Amino acid sequence: MNTFPKTGSFPTSIIQSKIMGPNPLKLCEELLEGSAIAPGSVVLDLGSGTGITSCMLAREYGFLTYAVDLWSEPGDNMRFFEEMGLSNRDICPIKADATQGLPFATGFFDAVVSIDSYNYFGRDPEYLGAKLLPYVKAGGMINLAFPGMVRDCHDDLPECLLASWTPEQLEYMHDMNWWHALISQTKDIEIIDMHQMACTAEAWDDWLACDNEYARGDRAAIEAGALDYLNTIAVVLRRL
């Protein structure tokens, strides 16, 4: 039985050409399982990359999706969205820096989804309250999935992690206790849930099956046992 039916609606060739790490479609689908975000909601896909998660949010969930990323080109993403049967009534790609304030009105979004990116910019204790929360309506949801550690081990990094990544790159990863303490500092936010995701190993398998230099570079660490130390953390927040 396919436990990821929305992910399964995308051809494997499309997934392998678009993903930039552990399969973000499966991470997104698991993250939003049981979500109360209604079809037609205005949703920010923050750090959307090549736009494949944005495409799923618009096409499979029926959200009016804004695909915001600093490093991808909106024109390229819009052509992909159109190839997948979407129009600018369904989805809008925007180039913006999450750390510099977003080009939207206060309270514009019903919800935020961020897959495999929040750990890059969200480690600043001021970020959530000052740079993201203002754009979310009262009662709106913030849904995050990002790579983490089972237990912080920066003081004694295992050799398997160093097989693919430098200590500086691993600084982007922390454990759930670290993230809970950080997020708890933000006013006007309720932590609804925070847990280790079940599909981590499967999402990594999908990534390592891709034939590109980045997947090949990550393979050494995973084959050496990195997933004994790494996980994916799901966070669900509500703006009060």
PDB file of all heavy atoms in Angstrom, residues 8-44:
ATOM      1  N   GLY A   8       3.257  10.063  -4.770  1.00  0.00           N
ATOM      2  CA  GLY A   8       3.173   9.117  -5.862  1.00  0.00           C
ATOM      3  C   GLY A   8       2.544   9.677  -7.121  1.00  0.00           C
ATOM      4  O   GLY A   8       2.650   9.060  -8.190  1.00  0.00           O
ATOM      5  N   SER A   9       1.902  10.840  -7.032  1.00  0.00           N
ATOM      6  CA  SER A   9       1.327  11.454  -8.227  1.00  0.00           C
ATOM      7  C   SER A   9       2.385  12.124  -9.103  1.00  0.00           C
ATOM      8  O   SER A   9       2.080  12.558 -10.217  1.00  0.00           O
ATOM      9  CB  SER A   9       0.263  12.488  -7.822  1.00  0.00           C
ATOM     10  OG  SER A   9       0.863  13.636  -7.233  1.00  0.00           O
ATOM     11  N   PHE A  10       3.619  12.211  -8.606  1.00  0.00           N
ATOM     12  CA  PHE A  10       4.714  12.803  -9.372  1.00  0.00           C
ATOM     13  C   PHE A  10       5.575  11.696  -9.978  1.00  0.00           C
ATOM     14  O   PHE A  10       5.995  10.788  -9.264  1.00  0.00           O
ATOM     15  CB  PHE A  10       5.587  13.676  -8.461  1.00  0.00           C
ATOM     16  CG  PHE A  10       4.942  14.950  -8.023  1.00  0.00           C
ATOM     17  CD1 PHE A  10       4.051  14.955  -6.952  1.00  0.00           C
ATOM     18  CD2 PHE A  10       5.210  16.148  -8.655  1.00  0.00           C
ATOM     19  CE1 PHE A  10       3.448  16.124  -6.527  1.00  0.00           C
ATOM     20  CE2 PHE A  10       4.617  17.328  -8.244  1.00  0.00           C
ATOM     21  CZ  PHE A  10       3.720  17.316  -7.178  1.00  0.00           C
ATOM     22  N   PRO A  11       5.882  11.757 -11.256  1.00  0.00           N
ATOM     23  CA  PRO A  11       6.780  10.765 -11.855  1.00  0.00           C
ATOM     24  C   PRO A  11       8.143  10.777 -11.173  1.00  0.00           C
ATOM     25  O   PRO A  11       8.651  11.837 -10.779  1.00  0.00           O
ATOM     26  CB  PRO A  11       6.898  11.229 -13.314  1.00  0.00           C
ATOM     27  CG  PRO A  11       5.701  12.091 -13.553  1.00  0.00           C
ATOM     28  CD  PRO A  11       5.400  12.752 -12.239  1.00  0.00           C
ATOM     29  N   THR A  12       8.736   9.598 -11.039  1.00  0.00           N
ATOM     30  CA  THR A  12      10.054   9.496 -10.411  1.00  0.00           C
ATOM     31  C   THR A  12      11.075  10.375 -11.125  1.00  0.00           C
ATOM     32  O   THR A  12      11.942  10.988 -10.489  1.00  0.00           O
ATOM     33  CB  THR A  12      10.527   8.029 -10.405  1.00  0.00           C
ATOM     34  OG1 THR A  12       9.591   7.251  -9.658  1.00  0.00           O
ATOM     35  CG2 THR A  12      11.900   7.899  -9.782  1.00  0.00           C
ATOM     36  N   SER A  13      10.969  10.458 -12.442  1.00  0.00           N
ATOM     37  CA  SER A  13      11.933  11.265 -13.197  1.00  0.00           C
ATOM     38  C   SER A  13      11.850  12.740 -12.803  1.00  0.00           C
ATOM     39  O   SER A  13      12.877  13.434 -12.720  1.00  0.00           O
ATOM     40  CB  SER A  13      11.693  11.111 -14.702  1.00  0.00           C
ATOM     41  OG  SER A  13      10.375  11.520 -15.044  1.00  0.00           O
ATOM     42  N   ILE A  14      10.637  13.236 -12.554  1.00  0.00           N
ATOM     43  CA  ILE A  14      10.462  14.625 -12.133  1.00  0.00           C
ATOM     44  C   ILE A  14      11.050  14.815 -10.739  1.00  0.00           C
ATOM     45  O   ILE A  14      11.766  15.788 -10.463  1.00  0.00           O
ATOM     46  CB  ILE A  14       8.972  15.014 -12.147  1.00  0.00           C
ATOM     47  CG1 ILE A  14       8.435  15.043 -13.580  1.00  0.00           C
ATOM     48  CG2 ILE A  14       8.760  16.368 -11.456  1.00  0.00           C
ATOM     49  CD1 ILE A  14       8.954  16.168 -14.432  1.00  0.00           C
ATOM     50  N   ILE A  15      10.750  13.895  -9.835  1.00  0.00           N
ATOM     51  CA  ILE A  15      11.262  13.994  -8.472  1.00  0.00           C
ATOM     52  C   ILE A  15      12.785  14.031  -8.476  1.00  0.00           C
ATOM     53  O   ILE A  15      13.413  14.906  -7.862  1.00  0.00           O
ATOM     54  CB  ILE A  15      10.746  12.827  -7.603  1.00  0.00           C
ATOM     55  CG1 ILE A  15       9.222  12.919  -7.435  1.00  0.00           C
ATOM     56  CG2 ILE A  15      11.433  12.822  -6.240  1.00  0.00           C
ATOM     57  CD1 ILE A  15       8.600  11.729  -6.727  1.00  0.00           C
ATOM     58  N   GLN A  16      13.393  13.102  -9.213  1.00  0.00           N
ATOM     59  CA  GLN A  16      14.856  13.021  -9.209  1.00  0.00           C
ATOM     60  C   GLN A  16      15.509  14.237  -9.860  1.00  0.00           C
ATOM     61  O   GLN A  16      16.635  14.591  -9.520  1.00  0.00           O
ATOM     62  CB  GLN A  16      15.306  11.737  -9.885  1.00  0.00           C
ATOM     63  CG  GLN A  16      14.966  10.486  -9.084  1.00  0.00           C
ATOM     64  CD  GLN A  16      15.599   9.230  -9.643  1.00  0.00           C
ATOM     65  OE1 GLN A  16      15.989   9.178 -10.808  1.00  0.00           O
ATOM     66  NE2 GLN A  16      15.700   8.200  -8.814  1.00  0.00           N
ATOM     67  N   SER A  17      14.812  14.884 -10.762  1.00  0.00           N
ATOM     68  CA  SER A  17      15.393  16.059 -11.412  1.00  0.00           C
ATOM     69  C   SER A  17      15.233  17.332 -10.583  1.00  0.00           C
ATOM     70  O   SER A  17      15.957  18.305 -10.801  1.00  0.00           O
ATOM     71  CB  SER A  17      14.747  16.278 -12.786  1.00  0.00           C
ATOM     72  OG  SER A  17      13.400  16.697 -12.668  1.00  0.00           O
ATOM     73  N   LYS A  18      14.309  17.319  -9.638  1.00  0.00           N
ATOM     74  CA  LYS A  18      13.980  18.544  -8.900  1.00  0.00           C
ATOM     75  C   LYS A  18      14.437  18.563  -7.455  1.00  0.00           C
ATOM     76  O   LYS A  18      14.655  19.639  -6.893  1.00  0.00           O
ATOM     77  CB  LYS A  18      12.460  18.780  -8.939  1.00  0.00           C
ATOM     78  CG  LYS A  18      11.908  19.159 -10.305  1.00  0.00           C
ATOM     79  CD  LYS A  18      12.401  20.523 -10.733  1.00  0.00           C
ATOM     80  CE  LYS A  18      11.835  20.960 -12.059  1.00  0.00           C
ATOM     81  NZ  LYS A  18      12.343  22.294 -12.468  1.00  0.00           N
ATOM     82  N   ILE A  19      14.541  17.403  -6.796  1.00  0.00           N
ATOM     83  CA  ILE A  19      14.850  17.438  -5.370  1.00  0.00           C
ATOM     84  C   ILE A  19      16.319  17.801  -5.148  1.00  0.00           C
ATOM     85  O   ILE A  19      17.174  17.557  -5.993  1.00  0.00           O
ATOM     86  CB  ILE A  19      14.482  16.127  -4.650  1.00  0.00           C
ATOM     87  CG1 ILE A  19      15.313  14.937  -5.137  1.00  0.00           C
ATOM     88  CG2 ILE A  19      12.998  15.854  -4.815  1.00  0.00           C
ATOM     89  CD1 ILE A  19      15.027  13.647  -4.354  1.00  0.00           C
ATOM     90  N   MET A  20      16.590  18.401  -3.986  1.00  0.00           N
ATOM     91  CA  MET A  20      17.923  18.899  -3.652  1.00  0.00           C
ATOM     92  C   MET A  20      18.439  18.276  -2.355  1.00  0.00           C
ATOM     93  O   MET A  20      19.421  18.736  -1.774  1.00  0.00           O
ATOM     94  CB  MET A  20      17.876  20.424  -3.532  1.00  0.00           C
ATOM     95  CG  MET A  20      17.371  21.106  -4.797  1.00  0.00           C
ATOM     96  SD  MET A  20      16.932  22.842  -4.546  1.00  0.00           S
ATOM     97  CE  MET A  20      18.539  23.557  -4.250  1.00  0.00           C
ATOM     98  N   GLY A  21      17.764  17.230  -1.880  1.00  0.00           N
ATOM     99  CA  GLY A  21      18.129  16.549  -0.650  1.00  0.00           C
ATOM    100  C   GLY A  21      17.116  15.445  -0.403  1.00  0.00           C
ATOM    101  O   GLY A  21      16.353  15.086  -1.311  1.00  0.00           O
ATOM    102  N   PRO A  22      17.077  14.899   0.814  1.00  0.00           N
ATOM    103  CA  PRO A  22      16.101  13.848   1.130  1.00  0.00           C
ATOM    104  C   PRO A  22      14.707  14.233   0.645  1.00  0.00           C
ATOM    105  O   PRO A  22      14.269  15.378   0.828  1.00  0.00           O
ATOM    106  CB  PRO A  22      16.182  13.751   2.656  1.00  0.00           C
ATOM    107  CG  PRO A  22      17.587  14.159   2.967  1.00  0.00           C
ATOM    108  CD  PRO A  22      17.921  15.236   1.974  1.00  0.00           C
ATOM    109  N   ASN A  23      14.020  13.297   0.026  1.00  0.00           N
ATOM    110  CA  ASN A  23      12.783  13.554  -0.719  1.00  0.00           C
ATOM    111  C   ASN A  23      11.834  14.504   0.019  1.00  0.00           C
ATOM    112  O   ASN A  23      11.167  14.123   0.990  1.00  0.00           O
ATOM    113  CB  ASN A  23      12.068  12.231  -0.981  1.00  0.00           C
ATOM    114  CG  ASN A  23      10.953  12.377  -1.997  1.00  0.00           C
ATOM    115  OD1 ASN A  23      10.376  13.435  -2.161  1.00  0.00           O
ATOM    116  ND2 ASN A  23      10.643  11.289  -2.687  1.00  0.00           N
ATOM    117  N   PRO A  24      11.745  15.764  -0.418  1.00  0.00           N
ATOM    118  CA  PRO A  24      10.932  16.747   0.298  1.00  0.00           C
ATOM    119  C   PRO A  24       9.436  16.502   0.159  1.00  0.00           C
ATOM    120  O   PRO A  24       8.659  16.967   0.993  1.00  0.00           O
ATOM    121  CB  PRO A  24      11.345  18.069  -0.343  1.00  0.00           C
ATOM    122  CG  PRO A  24      11.747  17.690  -1.739  1.00  0.00           C
ATOM    123  CD  PRO A  24      12.401  16.340  -1.602  1.00  0.00           C
ATOM    124  N   LEU A  25       9.023  15.784  -0.893  1.00  0.00           N
ATOM    125  CA  LEU A  25       7.600  15.500  -1.047  1.00  0.00           C
ATOM    126  C   LEU A  25       7.114  14.573   0.060  1.00  0.00           C
ATOM    127  O   LEU A  25       6.048  14.799   0.653  1.00  0.00           O
ATOM    128  CB  LEU A  25       7.330  14.884  -2.415  1.00  0.00           C
ATOM    129  CG  LEU A  25       7.611  15.772  -3.625  1.00  0.00           C
ATOM    130  CD1 LEU A  25       7.300  15.016  -4.907  1.00  0.00           C
ATOM    131  CD2 LEU A  25       6.826  17.064  -3.570  1.00  0.00           C
ATOM    132  N   LYS A  26       7.884  13.539   0.356  1.00  0.00           N
ATOM    133  CA  LYS A  26       7.494  12.627   1.434  1.00  0.00           C
ATOM    134  C   LYS A  26       7.544  13.339   2.787  1.00  0.00           C
ATOM    135  O   LYS A  26       6.664  13.137   3.643  1.00  0.00           O
ATOM    136  CB  LYS A  26       8.376  11.388   1.431  1.00  0.00           C
ATOM    137  CG  LYS A  26       8.092  10.481   0.242  1.00  0.00           C
ATOM    138  CD  LYS A  26       8.946   9.215   0.253  1.00  0.00           C
ATOM    139  CE  LYS A  26       8.586   8.322  -0.948  1.00  0.00           C
ATOM    140  NZ  LYS A  26       9.426   7.107  -1.014  1.00  0.00           N
ATOM    141  N   LEU A  27       8.549  14.171   2.989  1.00  0.00           N
ATOM    142  CA  LEU A  27       8.620  14.938   4.226  1.00  0.00           C
ATOM    143  C   LEU A  27       7.400  15.848   4.368  1.00  0.00           C
ATOM    144  O   LEU A  27       6.796  15.936   5.438  1.00  0.00           O
ATOM    145  CB  LEU A  27       9.901  15.770   4.262  1.00  0.00           C
ATOM    146  CG  LEU A  27      11.223  14.992   4.274  1.00  0.00           C
ATOM    147  CD1 LEU A  27      12.406  15.955   4.170  1.00  0.00           C
ATOM    148  CD2 LEU A  27      11.347  14.143   5.532  1.00  0.00           C
ATOM    149  N   CYS A  28       7.033  16.507   3.287  1.00  0.00           N
ATOM    150  CA  CYS A  28       5.880  17.414   3.311  1.00  0.00           C
ATOM    151  C   CYS A  28       4.587  16.650   3.562  1.00  0.00           C
ATOM    152  O   CYS A  28       3.749  17.074   4.373  1.00  0.00           O
ATOM    153  CB  CYS A  28       5.823  18.176   1.990  1.00  0.00           C
ATOM    154  SG  CYS A  28       4.566  19.477   1.939  1.00  0.00           S
ATOM    155  N   GLU A  29       4.433  15.527   2.887  1.00  0.00           N
ATOM    156  CA  GLU A  29       3.198  14.760   3.036  1.00  0.00           C
ATOM    157  C   GLU A  29       3.054  14.208   4.454  1.00  0.00           C
ATOM    158  O   GLU A  29       1.956  14.253   5.035  1.00  0.00           O
ATOM    159  CB  GLU A  29       3.156  13.640   2.007  1.00  0.00           C
ATOM    160  CG  GLU A  29       1.807  12.964   1.909  1.00  0.00           C
ATOM    161  CD  GLU A  29       1.636  12.103   0.671  1.00  0.00           C
ATOM    162  OE1 GLU A  29       2.540  12.102  -0.214  1.00  0.00           O
ATOM    163  OE2 GLU A  29       0.600  11.413   0.587  1.00  0.00           O
ATOM    164  N   GLU A  30       4.144  13.702   5.029  1.00  0.00           N
ATOM    165  CA  GLU A  30       4.066  13.240   6.421  1.00  0.00           C
ATOM    166  C   GLU A  30       3.804  14.405   7.374  1.00  0.00           C
ATOM    167  O   GLU A  30       2.993  14.296   8.295  1.00  0.00           O
ATOM    168  CB  GLU A  30       5.359  12.523   6.818  1.00  0.00           C
ATOM    169  CG  GLU A  30       5.308  12.009   8.253  1.00  0.00           C
ATOM    170  CD  GLU A  30       6.572  11.305   8.706  1.00  0.00           C
ATOM    171  OE1 GLU A  30       7.259  10.685   7.873  1.00  0.00           O
ATOM    172  OE2 GLU A  30       6.866  11.377   9.912  1.00  0.00           O
ATOM    173  N   LEU A  31       4.471  15.533   7.144  1.00  0.00           N
ATOM    174  CA  LEU A  31       4.296  16.704   8.004  1.00  0.00           C
ATOM    175  C   LEU A  31       2.847  17.164   8.042  1.00  0.00           C
ATOM    176  O   LEU A  31       2.333  17.555   9.101  1.00  0.00           O
ATOM    177  CB  LEU A  31       5.193  17.837   7.497  1.00  0.00           C
ATOM    178  CG  LEU A  31       5.099  19.177   8.229  1.00  0.00           C
ATOM    179  CD1 LEU A  31       5.631  19.052   9.655  1.00  0.00           C
ATOM    180  CD2 LEU A  31       5.863  20.259   7.457  1.00  0.00           C
ATOM    181  N   LEU A  32       2.175  17.132   6.898  1.00  0.00           N
ATOM    182  CA  LEU A  32       0.811  17.675   6.809  1.00  0.00           C
ATOM    183  C   LEU A  32      -0.266  16.621   7.048  1.00  0.00           C
ATOM    184  O   LEU A  32      -1.454  16.937   6.937  1.00  0.00           O
ATOM    185  CB  LEU A  32       0.609  18.322   5.437  1.00  0.00           C
ATOM    186  CG  LEU A  32       1.451  19.572   5.174  1.00  0.00           C
ATOM    187  CD1 LEU A  32       1.125  20.161   3.806  1.00  0.00           C
ATOM    188  CD2 LEU A  32       1.281  20.622   6.259  1.00  0.00           C
ATOM    189  N   GLU A  33       0.117  15.402   7.387  1.00  0.00           N
ATOM    190  CA  GLU A  33      -0.887  14.386   7.676  1.00  0.00           C
ATOM    191  C   GLU A  33      -1.741  14.831   8.867  1.00  0.00           C
ATOM    192  O   GLU A  33      -1.237  15.171   9.928  1.00  0.00           O
ATOM    193  CB  GLU A  33      -0.211  13.055   8.000  1.00  0.00           C
ATOM    194  CG  GLU A  33      -1.194  11.912   8.201  1.00  0.00           C
ATOM    195  CD  GLU A  33      -0.496  10.583   8.448  1.00  0.00           C
ATOM    196  OE1 GLU A  33       0.755  10.555   8.439  1.00  0.00           O
ATOM    197  OE2 GLU A  33      -1.203   9.584   8.650  1.00  0.00           O
ATOM    198  N   GLY A  34      -3.047  14.871   8.660  1.00  0.00           N
ATOM    199  CA  GLY A  34      -3.958  15.303   9.710  1.00  0.00           C
ATOM    200  C   GLY A  34      -4.037  16.807   9.894  1.00  0.00           C
ATOM    201  O   GLY A  34      -4.695  17.284  10.821  1.00  0.00           O
ATOM    202  N   SER A  35      -3.384  17.564   9.020  1.00  0.00           N
ATOM    203  CA  SER A  35      -3.391  19.019   9.135  1.00  0.00           C
ATOM    204  C   SER A  35      -4.795  19.579   8.937  1.00  0.00           C
ATOM    205  O   SER A  35      -5.578  19.081   8.125  1.00  0.00           O
ATOM    206  CB  SER A  35      -2.446  19.633   8.094  1.00  0.00           C
ATOM    207  OG  SER A  35      -2.627  21.033   8.008  1.00  0.00           O
ATOM    208  N   ALA A  36      -5.077  20.652   9.672  1.00  0.00           N
ATOM    209  CA  ALA A  36      -6.381  21.302   9.563  1.00  0.00           C
ATOM    210  C   ALA A  36      -6.376  22.461   8.565  1.00  0.00           C
ATOM    211  O   ALA A  36      -7.362  23.198   8.479  1.00  0.00           O
ATOM    212  CB  ALA A  36      -6.816  21.812  10.946  1.00  0.00           C
ATOM    213  N   ILE A  37      -5.284  22.629   7.816  1.00  0.00           N
ATOM    214  CA  ILE A  37      -5.238  23.712   6.825  1.00  0.00           C
ATOM    215  C   ILE A  37      -6.228  23.399   5.707  1.00  0.00           C
ATOM    216  O   ILE A  37      -6.134  22.356   5.064  1.00  0.00           O
ATOM    217  CB  ILE A  37      -3.820  23.879   6.254  1.00  0.00           C
ATOM    218  CG1 ILE A  37      -2.804  24.066   7.380  1.00  0.00           C
ATOM    219  CG2 ILE A  37      -3.777  25.073   5.305  1.00  0.00           C
ATOM    220  CD1 ILE A  37      -1.360  24.029   6.902  1.00  0.00           C
ATOM    221  N   ALA A  38      -7.168  24.291   5.486  1.00  0.00           N
ATOM    222  CA  ALA A  38      -8.254  24.028   4.543  1.00  0.00           C
ATOM    223  C   ALA A  38      -7.838  24.312   3.104  1.00  0.00           C
ATOM    224  O   ALA A  38      -7.033  25.217   2.847  1.00  0.00           O
ATOM    225  CB  ALA A  38      -9.463  24.885   4.895  1.00  0.00           C
ATOM    226  N   PRO A  39      -8.368  23.544   2.147  1.00  0.00           N
ATOM    227  CA  PRO A  39      -8.165  23.900   0.738  1.00  0.00           C
ATOM    228  C   PRO A  39      -8.583  25.347   0.501  1.00  0.00           C
ATOM    229  O   PRO A  39      -9.554  25.832   1.092  1.00  0.00           O
ATOM    230  CB  PRO A  39      -9.086  22.920   0.002  1.00  0.00           C
ATOM    231  CG  PRO A  39      -9.207  21.752   0.932  1.00  0.00           C
ATOM    232  CD  PRO A  39      -9.202  22.340   2.315  1.00  0.00           C
ATOM    233  N   GLY A  40      -7.833  26.034  -0.351  1.00  0.00           N
ATOM    234  CA  GLY A  40      -8.100  27.435  -0.607  1.00  0.00           C
ATOM    235  C   GLY A  40      -7.332  28.370   0.307  1.00  0.00           C
ATOM    236  O   GLY A  40      -7.332  29.587   0.089  1.00  0.00           O
ATOM    237  N   SER A  41      -6.675  27.824   1.329  1.00  0.00           N
ATOM    238  CA  SER A  41      -5.871  28.655   2.224  1.00  0.00           C
ATOM    239  C   SER A  41      -4.691  29.265   1.472  1.00  0.00           C
ATOM    240  O   SER A  41      -4.153  28.680   0.530  1.00  0.00           O
ATOM    241  CB  SER A  41      -5.344  27.822   3.391  1.00  0.00           C
ATOM    242  OG  SER A  41      -6.396  27.374   4.219  1.00  0.00           O
ATOM    243  N   VAL A  42      -4.284  30.450   1.913  1.00  0.00           N
ATOM    244  CA  VAL A  42      -3.120  31.122   1.349  1.00  0.00           C
ATOM    245  C   VAL A  42      -1.899  30.650   2.143  1.00  0.00           C
ATOM    246  O   VAL A  42      -1.803  30.889   3.348  1.00  0.00           O
ATOM    247  CB  VAL A  42      -3.260  32.647   1.431  1.00  0.00           C
ATOM    248  CG1 VAL A  42      -2.029  33.330   0.836  1.00  0.00           C
ATOM    249  CG2 VAL A  42      -4.525  33.099   0.700  1.00  0.00           C
ATOM    250  N   VAL A  43      -0.982  29.957   1.451  1.00  0.00           N
ATOM    251  CA  VAL A  43       0.114  29.260   2.127  1.00  0.00           C
ATOM    252  C   VAL A  43       1.456  29.724   1.559  1.00  0.00           C
ATOM    253  O   VAL A  43       1.634  29.805   0.342  1.00  0.00           O
ATOM    254  CB  VAL A  43      -0.039  27.736   1.972  1.00  0.00           C
ATOM    255  CG1 VAL A  43       1.179  27.008   2.513  1.00  0.00           C
ATOM    256  CG2 VAL A  43      -1.299  27.260   2.695  1.00  0.00           C
ATOM    257  N   LEU A  44       2.383  30.000   2.456  1.00  0.00           N
ATOM    258  CA  LEU A  44       3.755  30.324   2.090  1.00  0.00           C
ATOM    259  C   LEU A  44       4.602  29.063   2.136  1.00  0.00           C
ATOM    260  O   LEU A  44       4.676  28.400   3.170  1.00  0.00           O
ATOM    261  CB  LEU A  44       4.312  31.351   3.089  1.00  0.00           C
ATOM    262  CG  LEU A  44       5.826  31.608   3.070  1.00  0.00           C
ATOM    263  CD1 LEU A  44       6.271  32.167   1.727  1.00  0.00           C
ATOM    264  CD2 LEU A  44       6.218  32.542   4.210  1.00  0.00           C
TER     265      LEU A  44
END
